[in-house]
Amino acid sequence: MKILVIGGTSFIGRHLVEASIKNGHEVVLFNRGKTNPGVFEGIRHIQGDRRTDAHLLENEKWDAVLDTCGYTPNDLTPVLESVMNNTKTYMFISTISVYDNYEQGRPNEESSMHTNQIETDEVTGETYGPLKVMCEDLVNQEFGNKALIIRPCIVVGPNDPTDRFTYYAMKGVESGPVALPGGPESKRMVQWIDVRDMAKWIVSMIEEGQTGTFNAASTPITLDAFIDEISSKPIEKVWISDKELEEHDLGTRRFPFWMPISEEYPEGFFIVKNDKAVAEGLTFRPLKETAEDTRNWAGERELKAGPTKEMEEALLKKK
């Protein structure tokens, strides 16, 4: 197949490119050339901004367009208009943040979504989900039964720029007590998807001509079991209660994969159903493998996510 990847040099896009090349497809990248410009030098690049230069895509035919970096309708419209008449399948990376209700149990692909129309182009914690809903609507309007929409939960693995999973992976090799959020209650669940498992699955779906909407998420486990799985040895877990964490302001350095258990989020995190994706071939590598590969990639880099060492020590002193 001839595959156009919008973006393709950062995280999800990078692994989609690698999976496509591994399966023998011709891959073309369309991006601004600003993120990791030295990646994939051996394949063709069309350099441009998706908002102003999408017309560069008009005169070629694509078996599939893989859109990894559309966040607002203004990101989507120029590209959709340029490729809608010359593309067989349009794959769009959305998010499970489109769902607006976790109180009634884990959402599936038919569950209710945000309905508020966002007038701004600014992506924030409040606008991210609603804007993605608006993007999905545009893709479905233009491509209908030729659209493949993927809603990932937290995506993890090598090259992850957020460091959310990496934070815990690195804690799994430390000595001494490790502060962990919220307590080991069995109802506190976490969910993730290894970027390589998702990329391999998406490419196989494209090859099979599969369309529709799918949650991309692992089968959830307790946070306690999650920590055990990613640790290279038994670690001394010190649980900091929701109440303590809410009283101790960590600012932007709050614990990843955590929110207070509440009526709104009864499992202490965003947890969705994955039955539909599993039925269509999504598989999951061992969590230990994801953690080890992530540590090998991360090396000694300074992490962007999670409490700093000083913050963790302050929490531990209170126990």
Side-chain angles (χ1 to χ4, degrees):
M1 297 188 300
K2 184 178 180 182
I3 297 175
L4 174 69
V5 179
I6 312 293
T9 59
S10 181
F11 182 37
I12 296 175
R14 184 169 179 167
H15 287 279
L16 280 169
V17 171
E18 290 176 351
S20 299
I21 293 172
K22 183 178 180 180
N23 283 20
H25 302 301
E26 176 188 355
V27 179
V28 180
L29 302 186
F30 174 61
N31 56 48
R32 297 173 298 172
K34 293 185 176 181
T35 302
N36 301 320
V39 176
F40 304 124
E41 289 183 338
I43 67 176
R44 181 178 162 218
H45 291 62
I46 300 174
Q47 190 163 323
D49 187 291
R50 62 182 299 151
R51 293 196 180 195
T52 57
D53 303 308
H55 62 276
L56 298 173
L57 311 175
E58 291 176 351
N59 297 321
E60 295 188 53
K61 293 190 180 298
W62 313 100
D63 291 298
V65 174
L66 310 185
D67 191 344
T68 68
C69 53
Y71 298 94
T72 76
N74 286 332
D75 291 335
L76 265 290
T77 300
V79 175
L80 293 175
E81 290 178 347
S82 296
V83 303
M84 62 179 295
N85 294 321
N86 56 357
T87 300
K88 293 180 181 177
T89 303
Y90 197 98
M91 189 288 300
F92 177 67
I93 296 290
S94 185
T95 171
I96 64 168
S97 293
V98 297
Y99 300 118
D100 66 350
N101 190 334
Y102 286 80
E103 294 180 33
Q104 307 304 317
R106 300 171 182 176
N108 64 19
E109 290 80 358
E110 304 303 319
S111 296
S112 66
M113 300 189 294
H114 295 286
T115 57
N116 47 320
Q117 296 294 300
I118 304 300
E119 302 298 331
T120 178
D121 230 21
E122 183 180 5
V123 180
T124 67
E126 289 70 38
T127 67
Y128 176 60
L131 283 169
K132 281 287 195 176
V133 174
M134 294 168 68
C135 289
E136 285 191 18
D137 288 344
L138 282 174
V139 174
N140 282 320
Q141 287 168 20
E142 298 296 343
F143 278 87
N145 61 8
K146 297 194 297 181
L148 174 61
I149 293 176
I150 306 297
R151 296 173 180 162
C153 62
I154 287 186
V155 185
V156 307
N159 304 115
D160 175 13
T162 72
D163 287 333
R164 291 173 294 186
F165 176 83
T166 310
Y167 173 80
Y168 289 114
M170 300 309 287
K171 287 293 173 188
V173 295
E174 286 190 4
S175 300
V178 173
L180 294 169
E185 306 101 326
S186 60
K187 63 182 177 180
R188 183 177 298 281
M189 308 295 285
V190 293
Q191 193 173 42
W192 67 95
I193 183 70
D194 188 299
V195 65
R196 298 163 296 179
D197 294 334
M198 184 173 73
K200 177 183 177 182
W201 172 65
I202 289 173
V203 172
S204 71
M205 296 264 277
I206 293 292
E207 291 169 343
E208 294 163 6
Q210 180 63 264
T211 57
T213 301
F214 297 86
N215 292 334
S218 66
T219 301
I221 60 176
T222 65
L223 179 59
D224 196 20
F226 175 82
I227 297 300
D228 288 341
E229 283 294 308
I230 66 175
S231 301
S232 63
K233 58 183 179 181
I235 64 172
E236 183 183 346
K237 293 178 277 192
V238 179
W239 296 98
I240 314 297
S241 71
D242 286 353
K243 185 174 183 293
E244 289 174 287
L245 288 174
E246 289 182 291
E247 291 172 351
H248 192 108
D249 183 18
L250 297 175
T252 60
R253 302 292 304 205
R254 62 184 292 160
F255 283 95
F257 290 79
W258 170 85
M259 60 181 64
I261 288 179
S262 63
E263 288 186 5
E264 189 176 4
Y265 297 104
E267 296 187 276
F269 197 53
F270 303 94
I271 307 293
V272 299
K273 293 181 179 178
N274 65 359
D275 311 62
K276 185 178 179 183
V278 170
E280 289 298 334
L282 178 60
T283 59
F284 316 106
R285 71 190 62 210
L287 185 53
K288 286 184 180 294
E289 179 182 327
T290 300
E292 188 62 29
D293 291 347
T294 301
R295 284 191 285 264
N296 290 337
W297 161 74
E300 301 299 320
R301 66 197 296 267
E302 185 176 345
L303 302 184
K304 303 172 186 174
T308 64
K309 194 65 179 175
E310 293 73 23
M311 289 176 175
E312 182 183 24
E313 289 171 356
L315 290 169
L316 291 170
K317 283 179 182 178
K318 293 186 174 183
K319 302 304 288 182

